[in-house]
Amino acid sequence: MSNIKLSLDTLSKFVGNGDIDGIRGEIAAAKEVLMSGKGAGNDFLGWVDLPTRTDEAFVERVEKEAARLAGMSETVVVIGIGGSYLGTRAVVEALAANDRKEKGANIVYAGHTMDPDYYAQLMKRLDKADYSVVVISKSGTTTEPAIAFRLIRQHLEKKYGKEEAKRRIAVVTDEKKGALHSIAGAEGLPQFVIPDNVGGRFSVLTPVGLLPIAAAGYDIRKMLEGARRMQKECAESRSLEECTALMYAAIRNVLYRKGYKVEILTSFKYGLRYFSEWWKQLYGESEGKEGKGILPYSLSFTTDLHSLGQYVQEGERMIFETMMEVKASTREYTVPKDAENIDGLNYIAERTLTYVNNNALKGTREAHYDGNVPVIGMEIERIDEEVLGEMIYMFEYACAVSGYTLGVNPFNQPGVEAYKTNMFRLLGKPGF
Ligand code: PA5
């Protein structure tokens, strides 16, 4: 049994049994296309059985390298963008919020921006820190991480000397091609391979995510265990009711066809902000093409109830919501009692923050439902490595099935090239 369940009470007004029955066949067909490997983009299906295919020898090698990097430095700079960045950040930030870490390096990020002010701050920090680097790029040629790697390598070599700098770099890239692969070969840097048949946004359970997450001190075995459990649920379930991913894929397609073109992923857990960023890339890049696709957006509550809450409640009715409800917290606070009670808060004095936050969640769910926002409740037992592994696989599987149901190839991203072509022309890159 997985730790993620859907609760559909706040959908009843919008999605009836007839709607679900109406789409069952299409979802089953999309699953069949995915599992048979006969659909569009079928050269990118390596993620489907990745959790069960990942063997002990590989996990040991990743853990060993992660321990080496974290052992020699308090900070690890993770260089990457898009699918080579967001999965790591999603997991590291979610687990950091749990405050249970006993070992591992501090992770800082580079290569996801070209803003010089960001690098000025980062370099200031690296001047003082003892650090090593994991550079991640499947193509090995993406401009943003390539520039960041040049900058940081130069800093590293100045700080530690050329030979020591080499000991402080690990590379995650293609097995045979790309500039990064060539640099790693020429310099003798440790290399980890991103399988050819796994696209960037589906790659968090490859060394792309596993190496930096392990360097941060988290248990990648547990992550893989959770992902395996979800892989089994997805592969073996025979009905929507038995499978969170399939039901989620079904509901979002039903809602899309009824005119709900924007999905907001929301949570009252602050640490899930970057999980939502990962999810946005996964769904946006997989489905937004050929003039179609739900726009994925995310909000962190209650923070954003004080900014976009108004729009969600009363703006144009094109939004549906997937509300992640995490049952457990690792730490707790209670609202202090105050004899003077000038702020009038004594009505919740000695109540836990979880109690208050949960009631905010219930109140919000009810308000959004009343305001004609369909809400898919997603109940998540807790946030740890195992459950994050389940969540990652569940959202990936649902995304693939949902994309096939929508009638697009969920595994390509032709639109991403447009800005690059213009940028290269403007920069005078040879051939553009
Ligand atoms: O999902 C994708 O394919 C993209 O987001 C890529 O991950 C991103 O562009 C980075 O590419 P690369 O890993 O080749 O540097």
Side-chain angles (χ1 to χ4, degrees):
M1 286 289 277
S2 79
N3 290 292
I4 311 164
K5 295 274 164 289
L6 296 184
S7 102
L8 307 181
D9 298 349
T10 37
L11 267 183
S12 52
K13 198 157 79 171
F14 313 96
V15 179
N17 290 340
D19 294 314
I20 298 290
D21 287 342
I23 203 166
R24 266 180 214 283
E26 285 179 71
I27 295 289
K31 176 179 171 177
E32 171 57 26
V33 169
L34 176 67
M35 298 310 269
S36 67
K38 292 185 183 146
N42 56 5
D43 40 352
F44 284 102
L45 297 181
W47 59 273
V48 176
D49 64 350
L50 189 61
T52 48
R53 223 178 54 230
T54 303
D55 63 20
E56 177 62 24
F58 167 81
V59 174
E60 266 178 29
R61 185 173 168 238
V62 170
E63 285 177 338
K64 213 167 148 202
E65 179 62 13
R68 189 184 75 84
L69 295 168
M72 74 168 89
S73 48
E74 65 195 12
T75 298
V76 171
V77 185
V78 177
I79 302 177
I81 195 166
S84 292
Y85 153 66
L86 284 165
T88 296
R89 194 151 194 183
V91 172
V92 167
E93 303 251 342
L95 294 173
N98 275 356
D99 196 21
R100 270 198 301 224
K101 188 165 120 147
E102 281 158 17
K103 53 174 187 164
N106 299 318
I107 303 295
V108 296
Y109 301 91
H112 60 306
T113 174
M114 294 194 285
D115 177 4
D117 292 336
Y118 181 83
Y119 287 97
Q121 292 303 321
L122 180 64
M123 294 307 181
K124 241 196 225 169
R125 184 167 172 180
L126 296 182
D127 282 342
K128 293 192 204 114
D130 192 18
Y131 75 98
S132 54
V133 176
V134 179
V135 53
I136 307 166
S137 176
K138 186 175 181 200
S139 62
T141 52
T142 307
T143 310
E144 293 90 334
I147 293 174
F149 189 41
R150 270 205 187 190
L151 288 172
I152 288 166
R153 223 171 126 201
Q154 191 184 53
H155 186 274
L156 198 65
E157 286 177 1
K158 261 196 204 146
K159 184 166 174 144
Y160 295 102
K162 228 173 158 39
E163 282 314 303
E164 175 61 13
K166 277 190 208 171
R167 281 201 338 112
R168 289 175 176 261
I169 302 172
V171 171
V172 183
T173 192
D174 187 86
E175 189 177 9
K176 298 195 187 99
K177 56 182 189 307
L180 193 53
H181 171 74
S182 307
I183 295 172
E187 304 279 325
L189 307 174
Q191 277 195 70
F192 289 80
V193 169
I194 309 174
D196 258 352
N197 60 358
V198 181
R201 57 190 175 275
F202 288 85
S203 70
V204 53
L205 298 172
T206 72
V208 167
L210 296 181
L211 179 60
I213 291 166
Y218 299 116
D219 190 341
I220 56 171
R221 286 168 193 268
K222 287 251 161 65
M223 265 180 80
L224 288 164
E225 198 180 307
R228 275 194 285 272
R229 182 177 308 119
M230 192 53 82
Q231 182 188 332
K232 189 167 155 58
E233 176 177 305
C234 291
E236 293 178 5
S237 58
R238 279 182 299 273
S239 70
L240 300 183
E241 285 73 11
E242 285 174 21
C243 180
T244 301
L246 292 182
M247 183 60 98
Y248 174 56
I251 293 167
R252 56 199 306 285
N253 274 279
V254 166
L255 288 168
Y256 180 62
R257 290 173 192 179
K258 287 178 186 251
Y260 296 96
K261 309 266 186 210
V262 178
E263 176 178 9
I264 51 173
L265 183 68
T266 65
S267 162
F268 287 70
K269 276 279 173 218
Y270 198 68
L272 288 179
R273 287 174 345 280
Y274 273 93
F275 190 88
S276 298
E277 294 302 315
W278 170 82
W279 169 87
K280 277 197 268 199
Q281 187 206 352
L282 181 63
Y283 280 77
E285 245 176 36
S286 299
E287 293 193 323
K289 52 196 72 158
E290 299 172 30
K292 298 192 266 194
I294 296 166
L295 173 67
Y297 193 68
S298 64
L299 297 172
S300 178
F301 291 157
T302 56
T303 314
D304 294 333
L305 288 172
H306 296 259
S307 55
L308 279 166
Q310 171 61 36
Y311 192 101
V312 176
Q313 194 65 39
E314 295 182 351
E316 190 174 341
R317 300 299 72 189
M318 58 179 176
I319 299 171
F320 71 96
E321 178 172 6
T322 299
M323 186 183 272
M324 296 186 283
E325 180 181 353
V326 181
K327 303 270 188 177
S329 293
T330 40
R331 298 293 167 103
E332 195 54 276
Y333 281 93
T334 50
V335 179
K337 200 170 171 70
D338 185 313
E340 306 214 343
N341 196 29
I342 295 169
D343 55 11
L345 270 186
N346 272 357
Y347 75 104
I348 46 170
E350 285 161 11
R351 291 290 196 176
T352 63
L353 282 196
T354 299
Y355 171 82
V356 180
N357 209 24
N358 283 347
N359 279 295
L361 181 149
K362 284 183 197 155
T364 306
R365 191 170 52 201
E366 203 180 304
H368 288 177
Y369 181 73
D370 291 344
N372 287 327
V373 177
V375 184
I376 304 171
M378 190 172 277
E379 294 174 0
I380 299 167
E381 284 304 316
R382 59 186 187 279
I383 294 297
D384 60 15
E385 289 91 330
E386 203 180 326
V387 176
L388 283 165
E390 288 184 13
M391 288 165 72
I392 287 165
Y393 192 89
M394 189 281 290
F395 277 116
E396 288 178 349
Y397 198 88
C399 181
V401 170
S402 183
Y404 278 146
T405 307
L406 181 69
V408 298
N409 173 357
F411 305 112
N412 66 2
Q413 56 282 331
V416 180
E417 295 313 307
Y419 99 90
K420 292 185 190 170
T421 309
N422 292 343
M423 177 179 76
F424 292 149
R425 175 174 45 77
L426 293 165
L427 289 171
K429 183 173 177 172
F432 286 82

